[in-house]
Amino acid sequence: MEQNHTKRQIKVTRNSLFEQGYLDEQFSQLEDLQDEANPNFVKEIVTLFFSDSTRLIRNVENALESYPLDFCKLDDYMHQFMGSSSSIGAKKVKNECTQFQECCKAMNADGCIRAFQRVKQEHAVLKRKLEAYFQVSL
Amino acid sequence: MCDQRARMLQDQFSVCVNHVHALAVLVSTFHHYKNPSVIDQDTFAEYTARTAFERPLLSGVAYAPRVLNSDREDFERQHGGTIRTMANKEPSPHRDEYAPVIFSQETVSYLNLLDMMSGEEDRENILRARSTGKAVLTSPFKLLGSHHLGVVLTIPVYKSKLPPNASVRDRIEATAGYLGGAFDVESLVENLLGQLAGNQEIIVKVYDVTNTSDHLIMYGRQTQEGDLTREHVSRLDFGDPYRKHHMTCRYLHKAPISRTAITTAVLGYVIVILAGYMFYTGAIHIVQVEDDFDTMQQLKVRAEAADVAKSRFLATVSHEIRTPMNGILGMLALLLDTDLSSTQRDYAQTAEACGRALITLINEVLDRAKIEAGKLELEAVPFDLRSILDDVLSLFSEKSRNKGIELAVLVSDKVPQIVMGDPGRFRQVITNLVGNSVKFTEQGHIFVQVHLAEHSKAVQDAKFESCMNGRSNGPQSKTLSGREAADDRNNWDRFKHLIADEEIPFQVLTSDGNSQSVNLMVSVEDTGIGIPLHAQELVFMPFMQADSSTSRHYGGTGIGLSISKCLVELMGGQISFVSRPQIGSTFSFTAKFTRCEKNTVADLKRSLYDDLPTSFKGLKATVVDTKPVRAAVTRYHLKRLGVLVEVVNSIKTAVTGSGSCSCSGQPDMILVEKDVWLSGDDLSNIQVSGRALKSPKLILLATNVTSGELDKAKAAGFSDTLIMKPLRASMVAACLQQVLGTGKAEQGKVMANGSVYLRGLLREKKILVVDDNRVNRRVAAGALKKFGAEVECADSGKAALDLLQIPHGFDACFMDIQMPEMDGFEATRRIRMMESQVNEQQTSGSTDGCCDKQARKWHLPILAMTADVIQATFQECQKSGMDGYVSKPFQEENLYQEVAKFFESKPATDS
């Protein structure tokens, strides 16, 4: 009974993540990859993503402090960030990254900074949500 | 008028005078020349009486002989009476001579023996007459026996004939008597005038003016009546040179004023009055209008202020509502995340749905307010037009299916895949238009088309040759559903030009890379209730629906179109519509987007373009449809999946066509429209003829299907699948996957997408994954491991090169392209260089240098991992020596397709 309840809660939480557009298909593909041989695959990937992305965010933050802005470098970091986020299917973060890269292309420093704020925000939100999700599911 | 009267009077008078003359001659002849006289009183009386008509003006004539005093006694004796005076008829006193009347007309018989010389007037007259020998007249006086004024005419009668130049004395001597006649001027003139018309109005007066200072009146009253101003005076000549007479005539009444004069005067007066009135009213009006204008202007200023205030208010309020609404929605979402009973969940979900509806409405109002305040700005981000249209269609697919409306979208091939613009606003406009169409359409179709504006215009301008290209199109088959549409230009005639392959001069435009802007022409055509003519002008006004009954019936705020209009204008386009009541409306708008730079496209494609599966590339399909427009839509969606499409209009043609033309090959699938199928085409022959080779998949396309029909379809051979409209590429893809996937399994052809096959292909293959991104690397590795491959990872191009030093045991390499230091292209080039070096060494010292196993040339399959699925990247991949690419993140079908190229033969050898 208790287990049933938990299962449903996990499902609901997960679905809400999808419904609210935090995650996309890719995440479910990751889940598909998870099997007996790899029981913690998703969690592992996600953890990897967050440690990686935290580093990348720091990099971007540093890059944004330098003047003049090195758009090439920013674009590079962001490309990596976007690659990771699309790998785990973090839809919202990915979209924000797209915006950021847009601004990079346009050499729009203000835009970059604003976009980066949003990236960070989405990233933080996702992190919180996923942490909550994994706490429940594990 | 007066002269005429005077002449008449004068003529009559002279006639009388002449006659009296004649009488005088008569008397002289028969009384004096004959002796004894043959005339006596009786004869004279009778004669005069009988000739009286000749003398209408004379009341009577009488003859008085000249009797000297010496002869008086003889005379008196002879006539048996005494000579009497005229005054008192007494016997006359002694005089030198007398003129007693002896003959008299009966009318004046009372004159008998009266001495004419006793009367003052008569005496003068007689004296004058005998001295002149002519007829003379007295001045007017009261006649004896009547009270009328009259004049007495006296004519002398001579005893002997007088020479013409006889002296006065001779005349007196010769005088025998006097013939006299009384003109009763008054009554006679009256008689005369009585014969003339209009005598009532004219006052005639006859004066004796012998004495110029004292005019004696002969006729007429002395009173000064009548119109004195218009008096006419005419001279009268009664034959007596001594006497002068004249006649005055005047109108009794004032001269009657002429009718025209009166009319003119009246009209003039009226005109003047009218003109005056007009000026007056005009002036009043001008003043009033000026006043009104002032008032209006004040009102206008106030209204504008109110409008601004309203917009501001709306903006503020909607914003203020939105904030708590977001809170509510957020909380509801959180609530839904918690553990709820099903009833609670239902309540919460309903609340959330309502909240979303409300926030949509608020957003609309806010948009409107923002637009009015000019605060709305459009984004410029790259987006995929087609997928947006697909999304919009999917929104309405449920509704349209329920209503049985055919909903379709078609984007011209010439429209770029990715354009820069505001996808949200574009979607909003489309959603609004399609939403309206769905709302107001009960049957028929809704058809969304996107073309390049230049192209669309070029086609519109071009003269259509009306030949049908051999197609037999009934007039009713020219629109999507066959129902008439409002904009008849939008039928197949024009449409086929739009979708015609790139032969239009427009080509110049597309090839011109500099042209950065893309003008799109979007039209949404429906066969709904249309817009009443009177409401057509109001359509784009905010909060206006055609009429209030419409909003009662269909709901809605009527704000959508006005927002759409503003948005379209913000996008640099225009919106317009053609609508015919009961037939439908076609809304079309243009919008300006910018072309996306190539490299941007490459980067963004992955995120923006929901990759359609590419596994259908090269498949052949036959679409059976009698309606060319609908067929074009089907073709468009299939083309997006890379499927080659042939359109035929009957199932028979589909079968025979595929049978006879061997070069084109058997179609992999046949898509049949429901109504074509229902119209009675037999499917069995496909089954029969198809079974010889491999049977093409039969797919039924339908807008709505009843369960009965579905059963029938299954029975008829559509066991494979049914695609429900509206068509969307992704949905079609899913359906095809379902159909073909199972189909392939049956036929044992290696074309399926099941992971089973991948597993088979990749099992125990050693694969190197090169990616600098840990996460990506991990994911890729995980995915490949799942399919049974052994995966090794490298985090940079350099590391990969180290691992790939020949000889190595890898069966394939997945290479990320964008990496720091050494990117995928560079790494691949180096790998290929190494391989070719080794291969050369092998060939040089081949013959027995190496083992047989290595006799094959080294060629490691290298697959790029990339998000750019476009041709340019692919070419670059090939240039640097890669064998293919897989999209990142991995998608099974894609991965399978690429991997299959290299390993396809191997499972066979393995097994």
Side-chain angles (χ1 to χ4, degrees), chain B residues 624-801:
Chain B
V624 183
D625 195 349
T626 48
K627 288 176 184 156
V629 177
R630 195 171 55 186
V633 173
T634 315
R635 187 219 297 265
Y636 154 74
H637 287 291
L638 288 172
K639 251 176 136 177
R640 284 173 65 191
L641 296 171
V643 177
L644 299 175
V645 181
E646 190 193 355
V647 178
V648 296
N649 49 21
S650 77
I651 295 179
K652 232 167 243 158
T653 342
V655 175
T656 53
S658 59
S660 66
C661 187
S662 55
C663 56
S664 72
Q666 182 89 354
D668 295 295
M669 54 199 132
I670 298 179
L671 294 97
V672 186
E673 280 287 340
K674 190 182 103 184
D675 55 351
V676 178
W677 165 59
L678 286 179
S679 71
D681 254 321
D682 195 11
L683 294 162
S684 55
N685 43 12
I686 298 187
Q687 298 289 314
V688 172
S689 70
R691 209 171 290 281
L693 294 159
K694 45 168 187 171
S695 72
K697 294 291 141 192
L698 280 177
I699 296 166
L700 187 64
L701 299 172
T703 312
N704 54 348
V705 165
T706 61
S707 57
E709 279 173 334
L710 195 65
D711 293 343
K712 204 175 145 203
K714 278 193 174 144
F718 288 107
S719 47
D720 299 322
T721 198
L722 166 83
I723 298 185
M724 290 293 279
K725 293 188 178 181
L727 293 181
R728 275 175 296 133
S730 54
M731 191 192 67
V732 173
C735 288
L736 291 186
Q737 254 165 31
Q738 188 196 331
V739 174
L740 296 174
T742 54
K744 294 302 172 306
E746 278 168 16
Q747 295 188 9
K749 203 186 167 204
V750 249
M751 191 61 204
N753 61 337
S755 51
V756 186
Y757 301 95
L758 266 180
R759 200 180 278 277
L761 285 176
L762 294 171
R763 184 175 300 143
E764 289 166 14
K765 295 278 181 305
K766 204 171 169 196
I767 292 174
L768 177 65
V769 172
V770 187
D771 197 327
D772 63 319
N773 189 313
R774 277 199 291 163
V775 180
N776 286 356
R777 205 160 59 218
R778 188 72 191 83
V779 171
L784 291 169
K785 269 183 193 157
K786 182 151 185 248
F787 298 124
E790 282 176 43
V791 181
E792 213 160 303
C793 293
D795 61 354
S796 73
K798 269 199 182 124
L801 279 178

Side-chain angles (χ1 to χ4, degrees), chain B residues 13 16-21 23-24 27 44 48 55-64 86 101 103-105 107-108 110-111 116 121-122 125-126 129 134-141 143-144 149-157 177-185 188 218 238 240:
Chain B
F13 203 91
C16 294
V17 171
N18 286 346
H19 206 267
V20 176
H21 255 292
L23 269 179
V27 169
F44 186 85
T48 51
R55 307 176 299 274
L57 301 184
L58 286 172
S59 55
V61 288
Y63 174 70
M86 286 177 76
V101 173
F103 306 138
S104 61
Q105 203 180 335
T107 50
V108 288
Y110 54 84
L111 288 174
M116 297 313 283
E121 296 285 338
D122 294 308
N125 228 23
I126 286 164
K134 288 186 178 157
V136 297
L137 294 169
T138 62
S139 60
F141 63 96
L143 290 176
L144 281 176
L149 280 174
V151 288
V152 172
L153 172 77
T154 311
I155 293 175
V157 176
Y178 325 97
L179 193 65
F183 283 95
D184 183 351
V185 179
L188 292 175
M218 285 170 74
F238 290 144
D240 182 356

Side-chain angles (χ1 to χ4, degrees), chain B residues 231-482:
Chain B
E231 188 174 57
H232 289 267
V233 179
S234 303
R235 270 204 66 230
L236 280 172
D237 182 9
F238 290 144
D240 182 356
Y242 177 75
R243 295 275 169 201
K244 292 190 178 64
H245 300 87
H246 68 215
M247 178 187 264
T248 61
C249 308
R250 66 171 68 120
Y251 287 102
L252 177 59
H253 305 292
K254 298 274 182 188
I257 300 159
S258 77
R259 188 174 286 270
T260 48
I262 292 172
T263 324
T264 318
V266 167
L267 279 177
Y269 185 67
V270 167
I271 286 170
V272 166
I273 285 185
L274 281 179
Y277 182 72
M278 274 161 60
F279 277 120
Y280 175 72
T281 49
I284 295 272
H285 190 66
I286 287 171
V287 169
Q288 207 169 6
V289 166
E290 275 176 351
D291 285 355
D292 287 356
F293 178 72
D294 284 345
T295 328
M296 292 292 181
Q297 247 180 349
Q298 285 168 8
L299 288 176
K300 181 172 168 273
V301 169
R302 274 163 56 188
E304 280 169 350
D307 195 47
V308 170
K310 183 206 78 184
S311 295
R312 207 172 291 153
F313 171 76
L314 274 179
T316 319
V317 166
S318 6
H319 189 77
E320 292 303 319
I321 294 174
R322 225 153 52 137
T323 318
M325 270 314 291
N326 279 330
I328 292 171
L329 284 175
M331 287 302 123
L332 278 172
L334 289 179
L335 181 65
L336 280 169
D337 285 352
T338 60
D339 184 29
L340 293 174
S341 78
S342 59
T343 329
Q344 285 168 330
R345 177 162 300 277
D346 183 40
Y347 292 162
Q349 272 166 347
T350 313
E352 199 189 16
C354 294
R356 288 203 188 282
L358 179 57
I359 210 138
T360 317
L361 181 63
I362 291 167
N363 282 344
E364 272 189 350
V365 173
L366 187 61
D367 274 350
R368 175 75 222 170
K370 261 189 190 166
I371 291 166
E372 270 174 13
K375 280 182 186 160
L376 192 85
E377 279 170 12
L378 292 185
E379 292 182 293
V381 296
F383 68 99
D384 178 17
L385 211 83
R386 287 170 177 81
S387 65
I388 284 201
L389 285 168
D390 279 354
D391 285 357
V392 173
L393 239 62
S394 67
L395 268 179
F396 293 105
S397 57
E398 192 61 36
K399 266 189 202 163
S400 69
R401 246 178 245 160
N402 289 343
K403 284 187 170 184
I405 311 168
E406 183 132 12
L407 182 60
V409 66
L410 188 140
V411 181
S412 161
D413 293 343
K414 297 167 195 79
V415 176
Q417 186 85 48
I418 306 276
V419 292
M420 296 275 280
D422 193 327
R425 297 305 179 184
F426 183 70
R427 180 206 294 263
Q428 192 178 350
V429 176
I430 300 266
T431 310
N432 177 254
L433 292 182
V434 175
N436 277 347
S437 288
V438 170
K439 199 192 284 182
F440 294 116
T441 305
E442 295 302 331
Q443 49 188 331
H445 68 262
I446 295 160
F447 187 22
V448 185
Q449 294 177 68
V450 183
H451 298 285
L452 287 176
E454 293 89 349
H455 185 200
S456 166
K457 206 169 159 247
V459 170
Q460 210 162 328
D461 292 346
K463 291 194 174 166
F464 304 150
E465 68 264 41
S466 52
C467 74
M468 284 305 193
N469 281 344
R471 264 175 221 274
S472 57
N473 291 312
Q476 35 94 338
S477 65
K478 288 189 178 175
T479 62
L480 184 67
S481 69

Side-chain angles (χ1 to χ4, degrees), chain B residues 104-120:
Chain B
S104 61
Q105 203 180 335
E106 267 177 298
T107 50
V108 288
S109 54
Y110 54 84
L111 288 174
N112 214 5
L113 287 180
L114 286 183
D115 181 11
M116 297 313 283
M117 294 194 50
S118 62
E120 183 69 18

Side-chain angles (χ1 to χ4, degrees), chain B residues 98 173 274 786 809 828:
Chain B
Y98 309 92
E173 286 299 316
L274 281 179
K786 182 151 185 248
T828 309

Side-chain angles (χ1 to χ4, degrees), chain B residues 5 43 150 380 429 621 643 655 700 731 759 816 836 860 887 911:
Chain B
R5 281 172 169 73
T43 324
V429 176
V643 177
V655 175
L700 187 64
M731 191 192 67
R759 200 180 278 277
D816 185 24
S836 62
L860 179 71
S887 64
S911 64

Side-chain angles (χ1 to χ4, degrees), chain A residues 5 32 44 79-80 84 87, chain B residues 339 773 776 778 786 818:
Chain A
H5 175 84
D32 287 346
E44 183 191 340
H79 179 79
Q80 289 199 32
S84 329
S87 278
Chain B
D339 184 29
N773 189 313
N776 286 356
R778 188 72 191 83
K786 182 151 185 248
Q818 202 173 354

